[in-house]
């Protein structure tokens, strides 16, 4: 069920880069876990809504007023690379 | 010594804060080389000096241990992950800020399975925690460090987090008290997100009264968490009474399968007798969706984790592995930063959310979750509380559950109530094979007072 193509898609979507050994182990794990999880399919759920963890809490908004926030320095304190007060990343595309 | 005893001792001037802190650090020196409950520790001299002006407050400058996925300003917040090894939070979790305003100090940050994903603390990138009752065994997880620190006498009380059982199961395996509050009762602001619809912060303590005290100091609405319930802060110790008279207690047959073994089954029998002696009405009930909780939980929690952990992209959170393009940089950073269990859950969650599989897996799990919550609602029309074991086994040995499904089954009795967002407590319920075995009580939403009072009654009767 979980073949190399599915693994390649999952890796791309999840931003994961796996070694060939890791990929095979994870593929086998996923296949076994999902086979075990198939038992969910035996539960009839027609007309059952998805769960809502907080039925009484709706559309939580706050007044649109400025409040305390992090300074630029604090917001950048964990950045592995920064430049002129910005987060810095490698190029997105080749020139 | 319990937190309650220490507070009484301080109030009566029979103890000083210096003596308490010195005694805790003696235990730390004696136990940490084996137990490894802490990932970082405050300086005790500093705690003694800084505690002085806090003496009039409820916690009088006493140190409280904090699970290392809850942000505190003066120590790192690693989540037990290489990804966050050097991370320092620029802000503090509401639960920690509230403990501080009640006069507590942060004692140290406790070990956990990486990003709270696990049931043994074996998945910490910084080495496992060992069970103080038997160092060849796990303390449970993921809040294994918090539970082991309290069990070893290294901490008076601790905060943990419970997504699917991560406060209650380690409390059970270490022989201490752990409470998962109603979802939304304690602010998640500053708790590093794992599965947002399930994550809760809860106390781990040496006795029920201590757990009630810590809950009182952290619970209540927080405008910084949009999923925080509109409930005011409340003193959960005020009406705490060891009273079970007239309380209807249901024991689900799904929570006492034959496979528990004769010793554990005999303990459950003893709990029923104790409850009846104390005036409770004990009845057999059924929660037929119990067997579906495990796949439901792992699909939902992994899907939410895959989304939440997308933020670790090599840009904002300290770790970066070089790459000539941003995509390569992100993939390399995540390959190096995450351990195997985190990768497994991200892969499972990504798959469950992906086009073509969403309805079959994630969508299905969200509907079954509704049925699990309805099962509990039906049960609570007939009973006031649900009683059963916290975990199917006492502490297991390191490496014993290498198969991920076997490990996931360690949470089989804590997952259903987590999915339904209900409060539940684990207290020491006796021993199985000479090791602590947890008694779990589950109540309806926001029934913390009822759960705590019943737990106190069991605690007094079983000790």
């Amino acid at each position: 069920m979980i073949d190399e193509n599915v693994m390649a898609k999952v890796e791309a979507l999840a931003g994961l880069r796996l070694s060939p050994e890791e990929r095979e182990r994870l593929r086998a794990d996923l296949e076994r876990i999902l086979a075990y999880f198939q038992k969910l399919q035996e539960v009839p759920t027609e007309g059952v809504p998805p769960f809502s963890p907080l039925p009484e809490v709706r559309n939580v908004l706050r007044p649109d007023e400025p409040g305390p926030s992090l300074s630029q320095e604090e917001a950048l304190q964990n950045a592995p690379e920064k430049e002129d007060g910005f987060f810095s990343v490698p190029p997105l595309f080749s020139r | 010594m319990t937190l309650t005893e220490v507070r009484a001792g301080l109030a009566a001037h029979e103890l000083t804060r210096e003596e308490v802190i010195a005694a805790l650090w003696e235990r730390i020196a004696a136990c940490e080389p084996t137990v490894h409950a802490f990932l970082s520790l405050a300086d005790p001299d500093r705690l003694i000096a800084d505690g002085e002006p806090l003496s009039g407050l409820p916690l009088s400058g006493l140190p409280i241990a904090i699970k290392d996925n809850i942000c505190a300003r003066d120590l790192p917040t690693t989540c037990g992950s290489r990804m966050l090894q050097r991370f320092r939070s620029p802000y503090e979790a509401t639960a920690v800020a509230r403990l501080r305003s009640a006069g507590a100090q942060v004692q140290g940050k406790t070990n956990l399975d990486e990003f709270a994903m696990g049931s043994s603390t074996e998945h910490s990138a910084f080495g496992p925690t060992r069970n103080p009752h038997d160092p060849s065994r796990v303390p449970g997880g993921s809040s294994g460090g918090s539970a082991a620190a309290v069990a070893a006498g290294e901490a008076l009380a601790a905060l943990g987090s419970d997504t699917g059982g991560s406060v209650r199961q380690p409390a059970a395996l270490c022989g201490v008290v752990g409470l998962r509050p109603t979802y939304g009762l304690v602010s998640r602001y500053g708790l590093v997100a794992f599965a947002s619809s399930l994550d809760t912060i809860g106390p781990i303590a040496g006795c029920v009264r201590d757990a009630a005290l810590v809950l009182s100091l952290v619970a209540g609405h927080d405008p910084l968490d949009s999923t925080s319930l509109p409930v005011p802060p409340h003193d959960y110790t005020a009406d705490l009474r060891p009273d079970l008279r007239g309380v209807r207690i249901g024991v689900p047959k799904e929570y006492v399968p034959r496979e528990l073994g004769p010793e554990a089954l005999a303990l459950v029998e003893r709990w029923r007798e104790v409850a009846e002696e104390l005036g409770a009405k004990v009845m057999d009930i059924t929660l037929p969706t119990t067997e579906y909780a495990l796949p439901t939980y792992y699909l939902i929690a992994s899907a939410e984790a895959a989304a939440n952990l997308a933020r670790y992209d090599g840009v904002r959170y300290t770790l970066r592995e070089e790459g000539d393009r941003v995509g390569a940089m992100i993939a390399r950073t995540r390959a190096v930063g995450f351990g195997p269990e985190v990768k497994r859950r991200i892969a499972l969650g990504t798959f469950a959310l992906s086009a073509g599989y969403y309805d079959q897996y994630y969508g299905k799990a969200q509907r079954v979750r509704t049925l699990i919550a309805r099962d509990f609602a039906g049960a609570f029309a007939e009973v006031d509380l649900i009683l059963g074991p916290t975990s199917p086994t006492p502490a297991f040995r390191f490496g014993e559950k290498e198969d991920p499904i076997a490990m996931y089954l360690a949470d089989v009795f804590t997952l259903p109530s987590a999915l339904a967002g209900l409060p539940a407590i684990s207290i020491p319920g006796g021993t199985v094979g000479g090791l602590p075995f947890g008694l779990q009580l589950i109540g309806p939403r926001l029934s913390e007072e009822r759960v705590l009072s019943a737990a106190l009654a069991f605690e007094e009767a079983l000790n």
Side-chain angles (χ1 to χ4, degrees), chain A residues 1-2 6-7 9-11 13-18 22 25-26 29-30 32-34 36-57 60 62 70 74-75 77-81 87-95, chain B residues 73 86-90 183 197 226-227 229 291-292 294-296 298-299 314-318 320 322-326 328-329 331-332 334-335 343-344 346-348 350-351 354-355 360-361 364 366-371 373-374 403-405 409 419-420 445:
Chain A
M1 183 174 68
I2 307 288
V6 174
M7 283 309 289
K9 196 174 128 197
V10 165
E11 281 183 53
L13 285 171
L16 287 176
R17 176 171 297 186
L18 304 172
E22 262 186 318
R25 203 164 47 228
L26 204 53
D29 283 349
L30 284 194
R32 253 167 15 84
I33 291 170
L34 288 167
Y36 180 75
F37 288 7
Q38 270 311 108
K39 73 194 286 180
L40 271 193
Q41 305 307 327
E42 68 193 49
V43 187
T45 52
E46 214 173 281
V48 178
F51 183 73
S52 166
L54 294 165
E56 65 277 72
V57 180
V60 180
R62 62 167 174 77
L70 298 180
E74 286 170 318
Q77 78 184 40
N78 289 295
E81 274 181 50
F87 293 101
S88 161
V89 294
L92 270 164
F93 310 104
S94 340
R95 278 179 211 233
Chain B
R73 283 196 82 136
R86 287 173 290 123
F87 178 73
R88 292 238 169 197
S89 176
Y183 177 76
S197 77
S226 64
T227 60
L229 286 168
E291 62 173 313
Y292 303 111
L294 192 145
T296 300
Y298 279 94
L299 286 167
V315 179
R316 292 161 289 167
Y317 295 96
T318 65
R320 172 178 293 185
E322 295 306 326
D324 56 347
R325 293 289 174 270
V326 77
M329 179 279 285
R332 281 191 193 141
R334 291 165 67 82
K343 286 178 184 168
R344 184 150 51 218
I346 290 176
L348 177 63
T350 303
F351 175 78
S354 65
Q360 189 187 347
Y361 291 103
K364 185 76 181 180
Q366 283 291 18
R367 287 169 211 281
V368 177
R369 188 178 180 185
T370 296
L371 296 177
R374 284 182 187 170
D403 170 42
I405 295 173
L409 281 165
L419 285 163
R445 293 180 76 218

Side-chain angles (χ1 to χ4, degrees), chain A residues 7 10-11 14-19 21-23 25-27 29-30 33, chain B residues 81-83 114-115 117 123 302 305-306 309 319 330-351 408:
Chain A
M7 283 309 289
V10 165
E11 281 183 53
L16 287 176
R17 176 171 297 186
L18 304 172
S19 67
E21 300 75 41
E22 262 186 318
R23 182 174 305 124
R25 203 164 47 228
L26 204 53
R27 193 200 60 75
D29 283 349
L30 284 194
I33 291 170
Chain B
S81 181
R82 285 193 65 190
M83 187 64 89
E114 186 175 359
F115 286 103
M117 296 176 192
H123 295 304
S302 302
L309 272 61
L319 186 74
I330 292 172
R332 281 191 193 141
T333 301
R334 291 165 67 82
V336 169
F338 291 140
E341 181 62 23
V342 172
K343 286 178 184 168
R344 184 150 51 218
R345 304 241 191 150
I346 290 176
L348 177 63
T350 303
F351 175 78
Y408 298 168

Side-chain angles (χ1 to χ4, degrees), chain B residues 382-443:
Chain B
E382 288 168 32
V383 300
D384 303 305
L385 290 168
I386 290 170
L387 167 71
T390 310
S391 177
T393 65
F396 43 92
R397 290 183 192 282
F398 287 95
E400 191 178 317
K401 296 187 192 291
E402 278 192 356
D403 170 42
I405 295 173
M407 183 71 90
Y408 298 168
L409 281 165
D411 297 324
V412 70
F413 300 142
T414 52
L415 296 175
S417 44
L419 285 163
L422 306 175
I425 195 167
S426 178
I427 66 165
T431 58
V432 168
L435 293 162
F437 192 73
L439 175 160
Q440 180 176 220
L441 287 164
I442 304 168

Side-chain angles (χ1 to χ4, degrees), chain B residues 52-288:
Chain B
E52 195 47 47
L54 305 171
S55 39
L57 293 163
L59 288 179
S60 318
L62 293 171
I64 303 286
I66 307 291
K67 186 177 182 181
D68 206 19
N69 61 347
I70 302 172
C71 295
R73 283 196 82 136
D74 40 9
L75 289 169
T77 301
T78 69
C79 290
S81 181
R82 285 193 65 190
M83 187 64 89
L84 294 176
Q85 189 163 7
R86 287 173 290 123
F87 178 73
R88 292 238 169 197
S89 176
Y91 66 91
E92 202 149 67
T94 297
V96 173
R98 287 190 180 175
L99 284 179
R100 283 197 205 274
S101 42
Q105 302 194 75
V106 175
Q107 178 181 14
K109 303 297 290 295
T110 55
N111 200 9
L112 67 161
D113 288 293
E114 186 175 359
F115 286 103
M117 296 176 192
S119 311
S120 68
T121 322
E122 290 170 286
H123 295 304
S124 168
F126 309 117
T129 295
R130 294 177 177 278
N131 193 313
H133 295 272
D134 176 352
S136 72
R137 292 172 188 272
V138 305
S142 67
S143 311
S146 286
V150 173
E154 298 177 54
L156 296 169
L159 289 184
S161 68
D162 190 309
T163 302
S166 280
V167 158
R168 293 164 285 163
Q169 186 259 14
L173 271 49
C174 288
V176 294
V177 173
L179 172 73
R180 172 191 171 96
T182 302
Y183 177 76
L185 181 62
V186 177
S187 170
R188 293 187 295 114
Y189 182 75
L191 168 66
V192 177
F194 158 17
S196 304
S197 77
L198 291 152
D199 291 342
T200 61
I201 290 178
I204 293 180
C207 65
V208 171
R209 205 169 278 285
D210 287 2
L213 172 66
V214 175
L215 177 69
S216 306
L217 302 176
V218 298
H221 181 70
D222 176 19
L224 295 174
D225 173 3
S226 64
T227 60
S228 155
L229 286 168
V231 174
H234 178 74
D235 182 358
Y236 293 92
T237 63
D239 291 312
L240 196 56
R241 272 176 203 88
D243 191 0
L244 279 179
R245 274 171 306 168
V247 178
R248 299 166 303 167
I249 297 181
V251 180
K253 68 175 167 61
E254 294 81 5
Y255 288 30
V256 279
R258 294 279 115 210
E259 294 78 38
L260 285 181
E263 236 185 322
L265 289 170
L267 267 188
V268 178
E269 243 349 273
R270 167 141 169 68
W271 302 341
R272 296 177 69 124
E273 285 163 20
V274 163
E276 277 172 351
E277 281 161 23
L278 294 172
K281 181 171 168 18
V282 182
M283 53 190 105
D284 294 310
I285 60 166
T286 174
L287 294 169

